[in-house]
Amino acid sequence: MAATLHQIVYISRATAPLSDDAAAALCRAAAERNRGAGITGLLLHDGARFIQAIEGDEAALRALMARITRDPRHHAIGFVSDSPVAARQFGDWGMDYRRVDDIPAAADFLTTVKRALAGVDDPGLLAAFIGFAVIGRGERRRGFVPR
């Protein structure tokens, strides 16, 4: 019997500020590990918080989430969703990474985020990522960095 495709979406806070270089290095390492485990997904970072969707075999996702919850760089992990899915939303991305501040103009930024989500057809997933990006960007533009 084939393994059921599963998806977990969570939001977490970094225990300390994470530089762009550190976040990118974290994502590169995760992408390499995820490819080997058959996990795909997307990670958005707003400087202090993350939203991440991971999808693949449920056992592999549970093992990954166990590592994430033990990782001292994360705290306040909240689950947006945790359920079986009919199809992958993130194609063959081992892990795609986007920073909330990558694009300076708000209209260009929203277009860029939507482009990154082009293969996603789940309205709830789209709303979670776009909402996180827009709220995080607005907070950073006003000088507020979530703790």
Side-chain angles (χ1 to χ4, degrees):
M1 176 179 224
T4 302
L5 186 60
H6 203 83
Q7 182 184 81
I8 296 174
V9 180
Y10 72 91
I11 296 174
S12 69
R13 293 185 183 271
T15 54
L18 195 60
S19 73
D20 294 342
D21 289 341
L26 175 74
C27 194
R28 281 191 303 274
E32 187 174 315
R33 252 189 328 272
N34 290 352
R35 271 190 293 279
I39 296 172
T40 56
L42 174 64
L43 174 70
L44 283 185
H45 175 234
D46 74 358
R49 297 175 300 166
F50 295 93
I51 183 170
Q52 182 173 33
I54 52 177
E55 55 194 16
D57 173 71
E58 185 175 4
L61 295 184
R62 300 278 175 226
L64 174 56
M65 285 309 306
R67 283 193 308 276
I68 290 169
T69 57
R70 287 190 310 267
D71 187 326
R73 297 172 292 191
H74 285 274
H75 74 102
I77 296 173
F79 292 89
V80 175
S81 64
D82 183 341
S83 62
V85 291
R88 288 187 187 269
Q89 296 292 298
F90 300 100
D92 60 358
W93 300 350
M95 182 54 56
D96 192 25
Y97 166 71
R98 297 285 189 268
R99 238 179 97 249
V100 169
D101 291 341
D102 281 343
I103 307 298
D108 291 342
F109 170 73
L110 191 53
T111 299
T112 300
V113 170
K114 287 180 178 178
R115 192 175 304 124
L117 297 168
V120 175
D121 60 13
D122 178 329
L125 195 53
L126 289 168
F129 273 88
I130 291 171
F132 177 91
V134 170
I135 290 168
R137 181 177 173 78
E139 289 174 346
R140 289 183 53 92
R141 288 175 62 93
R142 289 188 303 275
F144 175 74
V145 177
R147 298 179 201 267

